[in-house]
Amino acid sequence: MPDFLNRLVYGNTLSAWLSAAAIVAIIAVPLALGKRLVLSRLTHFAKRTRTRADDLMAELLTRTGFVFLTWLCLLVALEVLRLKRGPRSVLIAAAIITFLLQAGIWLNGVIAFWVKRHLEERAASDSASITTIKALSIGARLFVWAVIFVLALDNFGVDIATLVAGLGITGLAVALAVQNILGDVFAALSIVLDKPFVVGDPIQVDKFSGTVEHIGLKSTRVRSISGEQIIFSNADLLKGRVRNFKRMYERQIVLVLGVSHGAPSGITSEMLGRIPGILREAVETQPHTRFERSHFRGYGESALEFETVYFVSSADFNLSMDVQQAVNLRIFERFKEEGIEFSFPTRVVIHKGGGVIEQSELSSVDSS
């Protein structure tokens, strides 16, 4: 062996350093080539199968970095070197950090694979899954990197207990300072998990109606019926009464009409008894309807009042208006056939001289 190979460099002969480098090269190059070959074969095989396991393995292998493989080889090469405690500890600590980072990349790959799979399976049938799954994936990734960060600090000798206590006090102070913002953030989390509404749902909050366009951490944006954008704070939104019209399966229609009870109409008790049946027939002859009830509910100031309740078996507002129009026209035709008159506002004027003048069929302005 030539003499220069026996020269000491950082406590090891030059031949030992060359042997370590050869070990790294001999192991690292085949590992890199083997990874590429296996990934190619595995990807091709995964396309022909329906199982998810091979797809996940291909995803994780894709995320395996060359730096990680190199550090594996360096750990093997350290066995042929005699390093002092300080340099050896630094190299081992660096290797551990590399392994932790690679573990974080793998776990993020698992989360991304899970998110992609569930979005493909459920997004078409449940639009709420999009928001929920994305929010959960962000939280899971933050948790993974937080754990890796704490483990890395512990590897460098940082007192984790003291750090956690300090972060707790700091977090409490920050929470008190931004409690309104945190309230909106937790309200957003509640909206995502509980799903009272999702993007695209038509809703009504108090007197405001519109379609949900965006659900953010601080606010929710709703496009109103008249065109402008309404921005609600998430916390205030959950405090109000939210009506979700997308989850309406049918619409209830309450029809109240008055029949004249004056002498000119010639109304009789028999005719009053037939009116609920006429109203029921007018409803049941229309498609997409479900009759509930019809009753002579009482005596009004100038009418005999009938109340009819029925349902339109669709949440479509335009369809419900079409059905109401058809029902009203049918009622008008049947009342005309039966000689039943609709009531009109009536006003009675009494003079001091004792005369009484009755004026019927006045306009709403005159009767006020």
Side-chain angles (χ1 to χ4, degrees):
M1 180 181 295
D3 292 337
F4 75 90
L5 293 178
N6 295 323
R7 184 178 301 175
L8 292 177
V9 179
Y10 293 105
N12 291 273
T13 62
L14 186 58
S15 62
W17 284 106
L18 291 176
S19 299
I23 291 174
V24 171
I26 292 173
I27 299 177
V29 174
L31 276 178
L33 295 177
K35 171 199 167 184
R36 180 175 298 183
L37 178 62
V38 172
L39 181 60
S40 176
R41 296 289 181 87
L42 187 59
T43 303
H44 182 70
F45 176 75
K47 292 180 179 179
R48 297 182 298 173
T49 62
R50 295 183 178 180
T51 59
R52 298 287 185 176
D54 47 10
D55 296 319
L56 179 59
M57 292 176 61
E59 178 69 20
L60 296 181
L61 195 57
T62 303
R63 291 173 177 263
T64 303
F66 181 75
V67 176
F68 171 71
L69 298 178
T70 303
W71 271 107
L72 285 177
C73 302
L74 286 174
L75 288 179
V76 177
L78 284 178
E79 298 300 323
V80 301
L81 298 175
R82 295 181 178 180
L83 297 177
K84 294 182 179 180
R85 183 176 182 179
R88 190 179 187 87
S89 299
V90 171
L91 290 175
I92 293 177
I96 293 175
I97 297 299
T98 303
F99 296 156
L100 288 175
L101 291 175
Q102 184 61 58
I105 293 173
W106 280 337
L107 290 175
N108 271 270
V110 173
I111 294 171
F113 180 82
W114 177 81
V115 169
K116 182 180 178 182
R117 174 185 175 183
H118 280 72
L119 287 180
E120 291 176 350
E121 292 179 352
R122 300 184 181 181
S125 58
D126 185 8
S127 59
S129 299
I130 299 176
T131 307
T132 304
I133 292 174
K134 287 184 177 180
L136 291 176
S137 68
I138 293 174
R141 289 174 180 176
L142 290 175
F143 176 77
V144 166
W145 287 115
V147 171
I148 289 175
F149 178 72
V150 171
L151 292 176
L153 292 178
D154 183 61
N155 183 66
F156 282 115
V158 179
D159 188 359
I160 301 301
T162 304
L163 177 63
V164 171
L167 290 176
I169 297 174
T170 303
L172 180 61
V174 172
L176 291 175
V178 294
Q179 55 182 334
N180 291 333
I181 297 177
L182 290 178
D184 289 328
V185 171
F186 284 115
L189 183 61
S190 176
I191 292 173
V192 168
L193 296 178
D194 193 44
K195 294 181 288 188
F197 54 83
V198 296
V199 174
D201 282 4
I203 64 172
Q204 179 179 342
V205 183
D206 297 329
K207 296 181 180 179
F208 302 98
S209 301
T211 303
V212 179
E213 286 189 339
H214 174 75
I215 302 174
L217 292 177
K218 181 70 174 64
S219 62
T220 295
R221 302 168 197 166
V222 177
R223 182 67 60 181
S224 71
I225 298 175
S226 55
E228 72 272 14
Q229 186 181 72
I230 306 173
I231 301 175
F232 295 95
S233 168
N234 287 330
D236 293 339
L237 187 62
L238 290 184
K239 291 178 183 177
R241 301 293 185 268
V242 180
R243 301 178 65 184
N244 192 331
F245 295 108
K246 187 175 182 179
R247 298 176 186 178
M248 178 190 297
Y249 298 105
E250 57 183 8
R251 288 181 177 270
Q252 183 189 61
I253 309 297
V254 179
L255 173 64
V256 178
L257 54 84
V259 174
S260 176
H261 52 61
S265 65
I267 194 76
T268 63
S269 60
E270 180 186 359
M271 189 176 294
L272 289 176
R274 293 204 313 269
I275 290 178
I278 294 173
L279 297 175
R280 177 169 187 168
E281 181 266 338
V283 171
E284 291 182 339
T285 53
Q286 308 304 323
H288 311 291
T289 59
R290 177 171 64 84
F291 179 80
E292 181 71 13
R293 61 181 177 83
S294 181
H295 294 92
F296 174 27
R297 75 173 191 179
Y299 300 90
E301 294 183 357
S302 58
L304 304 173
E305 296 181 348
F306 289 81
E307 182 178 79
T308 303
V309 180
Y310 63 94
F311 292 87
V312 178
S313 57
S314 173
D316 188 357
F317 178 76
N318 292 331
L319 177 61
S320 69
M321 293 303 299
D322 292 339
V323 171
Q324 287 187 66
Q325 175 177 276
V327 170
N328 291 337
L329 291 175
R330 180 59 179 168
I331 293 173
F332 182 84
E333 294 174 357
R334 294 287 288 116
F335 274 26
K336 188 175 181 180
E337 293 174 359
E338 297 289 337
I340 302 173
E341 296 181 1
F342 292 97
S343 65
F344 295 94
T346 303
R347 182 177 65 181
V348 177
V349 181
I350 302 177
H351 295 271
K352 291 184 179 180
V356 178
I357 301 175
E358 182 177 345
Q359 297 177 345
S360 302
E361 302 182 8
L362 299 177
S363 66
S364 59
V365 177
D366 293 335
S367 61
S368 61

